[in-house]
Amino acid sequence: MIILVETPAGFALFKVKDEGKLANIEDLAKEFETPDSARKIVKLKAFDKFDNTSEALEAVVKLHEGTPSKGLRKFLKANCEGETLAVADSKLGNVIKEKLKIDCVHNNAVMELLRGVRSQFTELLSGLGDQDMAPMRLGLSHSLARYKLKFSSDKVDTMIIQAIGLLDDLDKELNTYAMRVREWYGWHFPELAKIISDNILYAKSVKLMGNRINAAKLDFSEILSEEIEADLKEAAVISMGTEVSDLDLLHIRELCDQVLSLSEYRAQLYDYLKSRMNTVAPNLTALVGELVGARLISHGGSLLNLSKQPGSTVQILGAEKALFRALKTKHATPKYGLIYHASVVGQAAPKHKGKISRSLAAKAALAIRFDALGDGQDNTMGLENRAKLEARLRNLEGKDLGRLSGSAKGKPKIEVYDKDKKKGSGGLITPAKTYNAAADSLLGQTPAKSEDGEESSKKKDKKKKKKVEEEEEAEKEEPSKKKKKKKVEEEEEAEKEEPSKKKKKKKAEAETEVVEVAKEEKKNKKKRKHEEEETTETPAKKKDKKEKKKKNKD
Amino acid sequence: MSPPQRGRGGGGGGGRGRGLAKGGGGSAVRGRGSESGGGIKGGNKVLVAPHRHAGVFIAKSKGDALVTKNLVPGEIIYDEKRIFVQNEDRSTVEYRIWNPHRSKLAAAINIGVDNIWINPGLKVLYLGASSGYTVSHVSDIVGHEGCVYAVEHSHICGSDLVNMTEKRTNVIPIIEDARHPAKYRMLVGMVDIILCDINQPDQATIIALNASYFLKPGAHFMITINANSIDSKLSAETVYQKEVEKLQMEELRPTEILPLDNCEGDHACVFGGYRLPRKQNS
């Protein structure tokens, strides 16, 4: 009788030497207690090794289905002529009997025998120790597990995370090396750095010419445009750099080679990242693009983690510092994080960026879940959603156009009253606070102004929009306000009221502001210092609009 | 006796350290409780002493916690806390806290089972591995020489299990139904202990079948019984009794039955031996 034993390393056939012992099942176990006595019962007849893990996986999967694989069939045919075969699985036994006409047995005795063989396996299979078996066992088990879980190595998001990390690293390295080339070669030919601004072209030129003397003879037309080439050749003649030896040039050239090969590799890596993104997360890629998608996945840690986040989180991923700062200080939170760089958000006008970013984040969250947990491999869902988003953008812009052409003055913005919410820029970007020299000189100021000598160049804590315009520079001279694209020129006397002012889209006339504040539709919901208004009212009335501009520029 | 090792943050307590090395036997190691867990707050001085069971340790601070030495330093399974201890040669040893609420084996150890039969270097068959939480601690105990075959049928838990095993090379994941050990016969060798946590009404038959395939004679097993999973109409004690009888019929002789009072619900842990040699009546 022959017994078939399946192992992670391959199939083993043992010949049972003494079939009489099989009759006594209980004592059979004792026979296998020592390797020597085990060898008396069974002997290794043949061993069919698996060539690699994939072959092993195939064979095992077939066994699960209950059929012998080709390799097994050949093996059995070659070795089992005229013998009964003891198998562990009766179904398999039946199939073998049918296909290969080999009689199969499966009973308690067989089970006991298998136990025994398994316990003395390493001894009976000389040449295959536990150490060798362990990695094969591990490999087979992992392949089998993955097969069961329908794991596809294409859909691993770890590649994406590593690739984007490498891309950033490469950019940094490339920049560092390129700067180094410039510095180093600048010792020999300083003018070149100003002539050629692009790093790659610089490296190519340096590589081509080596010593600047050669510049006149060589042809740079493949690398540079004609005018730059002309500049280069001119500068090469009159350069004030020092001479360098050939050995130095050799090293500089090596460095240039490095720069060029790195930049080539970076391009390849980018292509790789694009293709991976399209495989791993096609819908997300369709919505936000490869780079933004990859950054989102990298930020979230894995596609699965990212899929657990709600749309609002996807919206501000990447702006956590601003978010928590704003939450702590009760200011308005940021409107976009990494998603700002998506092309849909880029296309939108500044005042629609917030809305589009929110809609995009919502659709992106759906796309991420679809990619992470769904079965589909295509990006139809992503494309549909993108079309919806673009339609929404057009809608938003259309509404705006209608409004612009319609009325002269739009309705002012009404905000929900929140007594604790602080106005002004606090959480977001604040421009650098510079010392306001104009603030401390009282000479040259009008009487009205001088009343409020405590002209505050206090930079009050206000919120600024991300598009900080130049007016903000002017506004810095006065305490700054939270403004959209409107110029608000205020006099110092009105500055005290500034904490109470909110974002406005109108031109406020500073001197008359005090008065007009009440008259115009400015909505100040905070307490105003009315007393001050009245005192400065009269002098304020005297001022000219032109004058205020001059004063503000003080 | 080697002097007790001083861990980080233990510099101040010079005198206190000397008189230790009792309780667990052997030297106690002072550690820094870096993250809080099980009553251990961050930054506190924590003492790590070996437990009575080989491979398990106790971390003593305000409260006691069961810990195992992390086989893969730096990796945690879900979000368990870790304790770092510095040796005399400035190397850091990392221990992971074993939560008895999550793991029935830890609960059994806390209650005070006589012997868990898991020692470093052993081969373990774990039926019902789930996401691999207890499996990871068992893998810590058996170390690199030992091996844990983790069988789990569900695909969702299975993926977590496979992810966990990618870092731990002494765990073999098997995504199969434990009812059919023939399906994973080519992956498993003979084992020294079977741990069974599958909560199926026919679990006695399952463990018996697996034992007949893979358990060495004279080896041991542990099975957790959830009374409600077996039969919710009967009382817990009756269920335990019935299960024990079923096991005894299959050559699995129970040596210890431990009701797990610190777990929710009616759980019990049964430890026993397989094909134990008949006791000689002297």
Side-chain angles (χ1 to χ4, degrees):
Chain A
M1 179 153 74
I2 299 194
I3 180 162
L4 171 69
V5 180
E6 302 94 345
T7 76
F11 291 113
L13 284 174
F14 288 90
K15 173 121 182 62
V16 180
K17 284 199 227 173
D18 188 352
E19 300 202 10
K21 294 249 163 111
L22 291 180
N24 198 343
I25 298 179
E26 276 162 26
D27 292 332
L28 203 56
K30 283 201 213 103
E31 301 285 342
F32 281 98
E33 267 165 32
T34 65
D36 290 324
S37 53
R39 276 190 216 130
K40 290 201 199 116
I41 312 264
V42 291
K43 195 183 97 158
L44 177 65
K45 182 155 196 264
F47 185 69
D48 182 24
K49 193 164 186 286
F50 294 134
D51 288 327
N52 50 33
T53 334
S54 48
E55 198 197 314
L57 179 63
E58 238 187 85
V60 171
V61 166
K62 279 272 169 68
L63 278 179
H64 276 198
E65 291 164 18
T67 57
S69 66
K70 232 187 251 178
L72 179 59
R73 265 187 270 160
K74 270 194 233 160
F75 184 54
L76 289 177
K77 247 195 211 162
N79 294 298
C80 288
E81 290 300 324
E83 300 253 15
T84 45
L85 182 67
V87 286
D89 182 9
S90 49
K91 262 197 292 177
L92 180 68
N94 288 337
V95 177
I96 292 180
K97 194 168 185 177
E98 266 180 56
K99 295 224 174 132
L100 301 172
K101 312 288 182 230
I102 303 173
D103 271 337
C104 287
V105 192
H106 175 72
N107 52 35
N108 278 343
V110 173
M111 297 309 298
E112 259 326 302
L113 200 58
L114 272 176
R115 269 177 68 92
V117 171
R118 199 178 276 122
S119 57
Q120 291 298 346
F121 201 68
T122 46
E123 300 297 327
L124 292 168
L125 256 187
S126 51
L128 199 70
D130 220 17
Q131 257 63 1
D132 307 317
M133 195 80 99
M136 288 191 240
R137 177 173 284 148
L138 204 56
L140 181 60
S141 69
H142 274 268
S143 328
L144 203 58
R146 285 195 191 146
Y147 170 79
K148 283 257 144 184
L149 298 174
K150 295 190 180 49
F151 180 89
S152 153
S153 65
D154 278 347
K155 291 205 127 204
V156 178
D157 54 3
T158 332
M159 304 295 147
I160 305 277
I161 299 170
Q162 297 295 343
I164 192 93
L166 181 60
L167 203 65
D168 289 334
D169 283 344
L170 267 185
D171 282 335
K172 252 189 244 165
E173 285 301 310
L174 208 52
N175 194 35
T176 312
Y177 286 5
M179 288 294 122
R180 179 64 61 194
V181 173
R182 278 176 189 269
E183 226 187 291
W184 200 349
Y185 196 69
W187 180 248
H188 174 61
F189 188 178
E191 291 80 6
L192 190 62
K194 285 183 216 105
I195 298 173
I196 308 182
S197 47
D198 180 51
N199 287 334
I200 308 300
L201 294 180
Y202 190 95
K204 280 191 185 157
S205 320
V206 170
K207 187 168 168 192
L208 188 56
M209 68 173 147
N211 201 315
R212 65 172 185 264
I213 301 172
N214 304 329
K217 301 175 237 156
L218 291 167
D219 180 24
F220 288 89
S221 49
E222 294 122 22
I223 316 174
L224 304 168
S225 69
E226 283 195 17
E227 0 172 293
I228 301 186
E229 198 183 332
D231 281 338
L232 194 166
K233 293 196 168 159
E234 244 185 73
V237 180
I238 53 169
S239 170
M240 45 171 184
T242 46
E243 294 302 316
V244 275
S245 72
D246 283 334
L247 183 60
D248 303 325
L249 280 173
L250 185 70
H251 280 277
I252 298 181
R253 268 197 164 121
E254 291 274 346
L255 184 57
C256 292
D257 281 335
Q258 282 292 323
V259 170
L260 292 171
S261 68
L262 268 184
S263 76
E264 255 180 64
Y265 176 60
R266 190 207 179 278
Q268 274 179 3
L269 184 64
Y270 188 55
D271 283 332
Y272 164 75
L273 180 64
K274 279 202 277 201
S275 78
R276 275 267 145 266
M277 271 303 287
N278 276 309
T279 324
V280 170
N283 293 290
L284 182 61
T285 323
L287 261 186
V288 296
E290 290 92 3
L291 211 50
V292 176
R295 282 194 200 284
L296 282 173
I297 295 178
S298 158
H299 198 283
S302 79
L303 192 57
L304 201 61
N305 267 347
L306 198 58
S307 69
K308 295 179 189 166
Q309 310 287 12
S312 55
T313 303
V314 174
Q315 188 181 355
I316 44 95
L317 266 185
E320 285 85 357
K321 185 166 168 220
L323 176 69
F324 291 112
R325 184 175 61 198
L327 285 174
K328 266 192 227 165
T329 56
K330 296 201 192 216
H331 283 89
T333 51
K335 292 191 292 302
Y336 19 61
L338 286 169
I339 230 161
Y340 187 74
H341 300 104
S343 53
V344 198
V345 177
Q347 286 170 19
K351 60 180 173 166
H352 299 310
K353 281 204 205 294
K355 293 194 186 189
I356 284 296
S357 133
R358 186 178 61 239
S359 318
L360 178 63
K363 294 298 178 200
L366 287 177
I368 292 169
R369 281 170 214 163
F370 196 89
D371 287 328
L373 307 160
D375 284 327
Q377 225 347 82
D378 58 351
N379 59 355
T380 45
M381 182 252 184
L383 290 172
E384 276 169 26
N385 280 323
R386 195 190 173 105
K388 281 190 205 162
L389 274 174
E390 288 174 347
R392 171 161 162 76
L393 184 58
R394 279 192 294 269
N395 205 357
L396 279 176
E397 286 175 359
K399 254 200 286 189
D400 218 27
L401 281 174
R403 213 158 29 119
L404 276 180
S405 53
S407 54
K409 277 185 188 152
K411 292 222 173 63
K413 189 168 156 182
I414 301 173
E415 272 194 28
V416 175
Y417 178 65
D418 178 4
K419 69 169 173 59
D420 288 328
K421 183 171 170 184
K422 297 188 189 98
K423 306 299 175 193
S425 66
L428 282 188
I429 299 169
T430 46
K433 297 181 180 183
T434 56
Y435 177 63
N436 178 12
D440 51 12
S441 121
L442 296 177
L443 301 170
Q445 282 181 354
T446 57
K449 272 193 194 177
S450 62
E451 278 172 34
D452 302 80
E454 13 103 50
E455 161 30 278
S456 45
S457 44
K458 324 172 223 164
K459 310 304 173 195
K460 289 172 196 155
D461 216 23
K462 314 266 174 156
K463 215 189 312 183
K464 290 238 189 293
K465 307 293 296 167
K466 277 200 178 178
K467 284 245 161 112
V468 174
E469 298 178 305
E470 282 167 338
E471 285 91 331
E472 305 233 7
E473 310 290 318
E475 284 171 29
K476 274 188 240 173
E477 292 165 30
E478 324 133 7
S480 41
K481 269 196 191 191
K482 188 166 64 172
K483 298 279 176 281
K484 290 188 183 179
K485 290 180 188 171
K486 306 284 177 169
K487 292 184 189 174
V488 179
E489 292 155 289
E490 299 196 279
E491 292 292 338
E492 287 83 348
E493 59 255 31
E495 279 157 22
K496 280 183 209 162
E497 296 158 5
E498 281 177 342
S500 56
K501 300 235 165 46
K502 303 181 332 178
K503 294 187 215 184
K504 299 280 182 285
K505 282 194 176 188
K506 294 175 208 143
K507 269 199 179 191
E509 293 164 346
E511 314 97 319
T512 51
E513 188 181 49
V514 171
V515 176
E516 283 166 63
V517 159
K519 293 181 191 168
E520 289 181 341
E521 308 100 87
K522 278 195 185 181
K523 303 233 178 338
N524 295 327
K525 291 196 178 162
K526 301 282 171 168
K527 288 173 257 169
R528 262 184 262 146
K529 295 165 192 166
H530 290 271
E531 309 89 72
E532 284 159 330
E533 278 175 61
E534 283 153 37
T535 55
T536 58
E537 202 173 342
T538 7
K541 277 186 182 164
K542 293 179 194 162
K543 266 140 220 152
D544 222 26
K545 282 192 195 180
K546 275 190 252 162
E547 271 186 62
K548 82 183 169 213
K549 281 196 184 164
K550 279 192 222 156
K551 286 168 208 158
N552 282 334
K553 276 175 188 146
D554 274 330
Chain B
M1 189 168 75
S2 57
Q5 285 158 300
R6 203 61 55 83
R8 228 180 314 165
R16 269 182 289 149
R18 292 265 163 238
L20 273 166
K22 50 184 178 250
S27 49
V29 188
R30 188 80 59 92
R32 174 174 70 90
S34 68
E35 291 136 329
S36 58
I40 299 177
K41 295 293 170 207
N44 272 2
K45 290 179 198 142
V46 183
L47 216 74
V48 177
H51 199 280
R52 182 164 47 90
H53 304 300
V56 188
F57 301 86
I58 305 185
K60 294 184 208 271
S61 156
K62 263 192 227 166
D64 283 356
L66 211 60
V67 294
T68 59
K69 195 159 161 188
N70 200 349
L71 195 74
V72 191
E75 294 287 330
I76 52 175
I77 306 300
Y78 67 114
D79 59 353
E80 66 267 23
K81 314 294 179 198
R82 286 172 287 168
I83 295 175
F84 299 92
V85 164
Q86 234 186 13
N87 286 334
E88 276 159 358
D89 58 353
R90 306 242 100 211
S91 62
T92 322
V93 186
E94 193 177 303
Y95 294 93
R96 287 186 306 128
I97 293 187
W98 199 353
N99 186 351
H101 293 285
R102 260 192 159 232
S103 168
K104 301 206 186 66
L105 187 56
I109 296 177
N110 267 350
I111 291 184
V113 63
D114 269 339
N115 202 331
I116 56 172
W117 306 109
I118 307 178
N119 293 316
L122 251 49
K123 308 239 180 335
V124 182
L125 174 64
Y126 197 113
L127 304 172
S130 173
S131 308
Y133 178 61
T134 309
V135 171
S136 72
H137 284 284
V138 173
S139 133
D140 282 346
I141 297 176
V142 298
H144 281 293
E145 292 80 34
C147 186
V148 183
Y149 301 96
V151 178
E152 171 56 42
H153 192 33
S154 120
H155 281 211
I156 305 167
C157 289
S159 349
D160 289 338
L161 183 66
V162 171
N163 283 336
M164 189 269 284
T165 54
E166 270 166 22
K167 303 278 164 52
R168 284 167 184 273
T169 49
N170 65 350
V171 182
I172 311 259
I174 301 172
I175 315 292
E176 286 292 350
D177 190 352
R179 287 194 180 89
H180 305 119
K183 290 201 164 173
Y184 44 91
R185 66 183 185 275
M186 65 286 299
L187 289 171
V188 185
M190 293 304 272
V191 298
D192 302 298
I193 174 168
I194 293 186
L195 301 173
C196 182
D197 192 6
I198 39 186
N199 291 330
Q200 296 284 320
D202 55 343
Q203 60 184 12
T205 357
I206 296 176
I207 192 174
L209 193 56
N210 277 279
S212 74
Y213 266 83
F214 306 121
L215 194 54
K216 288 186 190 162
H220 294 85
F221 69 93
M222 182 202 91
I223 188 167
T224 57
I225 306 178
N226 181 351
N228 291 329
S229 298
I230 310 286
D231 193 336
S232 50
K233 297 189 290 283
L234 304 173
S235 81
E237 281 73 29
T238 328
V239 175
Y240 302 152
Q241 217 29 59
K242 284 183 149 217
E243 284 303 301
V244 163
E245 278 164 27
K246 276 194 235 170
L247 290 170
Q248 278 168 332
M249 287 204 299
E250 308 272 5
E251 293 191 294
L252 291 158
R253 191 157 12 116
T255 56
E256 237 183 300
I257 303 171
L258 210 66
L260 297 175
D261 296 324
N262 55 5
C263 267
E264 284 174 34
D266 299 315
H267 289 267
C269 225
V270 178
F271 287 84
Y274 180 63
R275 296 199 184 174
L276 294 173
R278 298 274 140 76
K279 284 189 197 135
Q280 312 287 43
N281 289 331
S282 54

